[in-house]
C-alpha cells in the first residue's frame, strides 16, 4: 500500500494548500447562510475531488494492466511539472506590488448571496477548473494508478488522497461547527493569514511540486 500512498502525498498536500477554496469557504462561513452553505461547499469539494481522483486512477489502472511500472506516468508528470513551473512563473509576474491593490475575483464578491446548491457547485468548479488544484490532483491520482499494487490498495490510497486534499475545507468547517467565540476568532485569524500569504503560497507550491514532478519524470525516463 505504501507504493501507492507515498508518491501521491506531496500532490495531496498541494491540493490542500490551494488558497482559493480556503478563502471561499472562510467567506462562506462568515455569510448569513454560513452553516448550510459551508456544509454544501465542503461536500461539493469532497465529491468533486473524489470523482476526479477516481476517474484518473481508473483510467490509469486500465492503461497499466501488467504488474510492471509503465512509462506513461513519467511523461504525464513531465507535462504536469512543466505546467506547474509555468504557472508559478505567471503567478510571480502577477504578484501584488507594494502600494497596489489587487481586485478580488468577481465571484468572491457575491459569496454571501449563494445558495447551498450554488455553494456545492462552486466547490466542484474550484476542483476541476482551477489549475492549482486540478494539476496536482491529476498528478497524485496518476501516481496511485501507476503503483505496482492491487486494486484494493489503490482504492485506499485514493481515499487517503481525497481526505488529505480536503483538509483545507474540512478543518475550517469542523472548527466552525464548534460554534463558540473562540471559533469565530480562529476563523478570522485564518482568513487574515490566508489573505496575506495567498500570493506566496500560489507561487511556492506550484514551483516546488513542479520541480518534484520534473525530477521524478526524468528519473523514470532514464
Amino acid at each position: 500500500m505504501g507504493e501507492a500512498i507515498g508518491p501521491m502525498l506531496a500532490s495531496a498536500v498541494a491540493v490542500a494548500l490551494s488558497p482559493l477554496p480556503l478563502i471561499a469557504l472562510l467567506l462562506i462561513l462568515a455569510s448569513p447562510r454560513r452553516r448550510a452553505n459551508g456544509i454544501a461547499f465542503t461536500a461539493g469539494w469532497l465529491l468533486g475531488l473524489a470523482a476526479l481522483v477516481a476517474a484518473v486512477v481508473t483510467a490509469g489502472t486500465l492503461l497499466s494492466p501488467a504488474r510492471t511500472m509503465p512509462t506513461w506516468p513519467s511523461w504525464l508528470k513531465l507535462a504536469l511539472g512543466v505546467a506547474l513551473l509555468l504557472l508559478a512563473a505567471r503567478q510571480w509576474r502577477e504578484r501584488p506590488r507594494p502600494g497596489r491593490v489587487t481586485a478580488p475575483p468577481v465571484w468572491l464578491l457575491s459569496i454571501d448571496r449563494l445558495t447551498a446548491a450554488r455553494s456545492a457547485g462552486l466547490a466542484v468548479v474550484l476542483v476541476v477548473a482551477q489549475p492549482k488544484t486540478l494539476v496536482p490532483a491529476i498528478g497524485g491520482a496518476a501516481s496511485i494508478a501507476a503503483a505496482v499494487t492491487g486494486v484494493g490498495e489503490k482504492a485506499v490510497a485514493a481515499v487517503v488522497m481525497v481526505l488529505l486534499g480536503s483538509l483545507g475545507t474540512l478543518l475550517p468547517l469542523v472548527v466552525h461547527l464548534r460554534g463558540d467565540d473562540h471559533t469565530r476568532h480562529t476563523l478570522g485569524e485564518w482568513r487574515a493569514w490566508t489573505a496575506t500569504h495567498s500570493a506566496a503560497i500560489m507561487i511556492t507550491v506550484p514551483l516546488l511540486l513542479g520541480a518534484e514532478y520534473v525530477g521524478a519524470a526524468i528519473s523514470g525516463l532514464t
Side-chain angles (χ1 to χ4, degrees), residues 14-190:
V15 173
L17 289 176
S18 183
L20 278 182
L22 177 57
I23 292 172
L25 180 58
L26 290 173
L27 290 175
I28 286 173
L29 295 178
S31 68
R33 302 184 185 94
R34 58 180 66 88
R35 187 181 184 89
N37 287 4
I39 293 173
F41 183 91
T42 304
W45 177 271
L46 282 166
L47 291 174
L49 184 59
L52 175 62
V53 170
V56 175
V57 170
T58 301
T61 300
L62 292 175
L63 291 173
S64 313
R67 296 184 69 84
T68 56
M69 184 63 70
T71 59
W72 67 262
S74 296
W75 289 109
L76 178 60
K77 286 286 185 73
L78 181 61
L80 295 177
V82 171
L84 286 170
L85 293 175
L86 292 174
L87 179 61
R90 190 184 74 179
Q91 292 291 155
W92 173 258
R93 290 195 305 270
E94 297 175 355
R95 70 193 185 280
R97 300 302 200 276
R100 203 172 96 192
V101 178
T102 303
V106 175
W107 57 266
L108 278 180
L109 302 177
S110 60
I111 271 189
D112 59 344
R113 298 192 296 273
L114 291 177
T115 62
R118 294 195 176 198
S119 297
L122 172 61
V124 174
V125 169
L126 289 177
V127 171
V128 301
Q130 183 193 195
K132 289 176 286 295
T133 300
L134 180 64
V135 173
I138 292 175
S143 297
I144 296 173
V148 184
T149 186
V151 174
E153 287 83 357
K154 290 182 181 181
V156 172
V159 171
V160 172
M161 179 176 176
V162 171
L163 291 176
L164 287 176
S166 300
L167 287 179
T169 55
L170 285 171
L171 289 179
L173 180 65
V174 170
V175 171
H176 169 74
L177 293 177
R178 288 178 54 190
D180 53 24
D181 292 336
H182 179 68
T183 293
R184 287 187 289 274
H185 178 70
T186 299
L187 291 176
E189 287 184 335
W190 287 3

Side-chain angles (χ1 to χ4, degrees), residues 188-216:
E189 287 184 335
W190 287 3
R191 189 160 54 246
W193 188 92
T194 305
T196 301
H197 299 285
S198 61
I201 295 172
M202 288 192 288
I203 294 170
T204 305
V205 172
L207 178 64
L208 295 178
L209 189 63
E212 195 274 333
Y213 277 6
V214 171

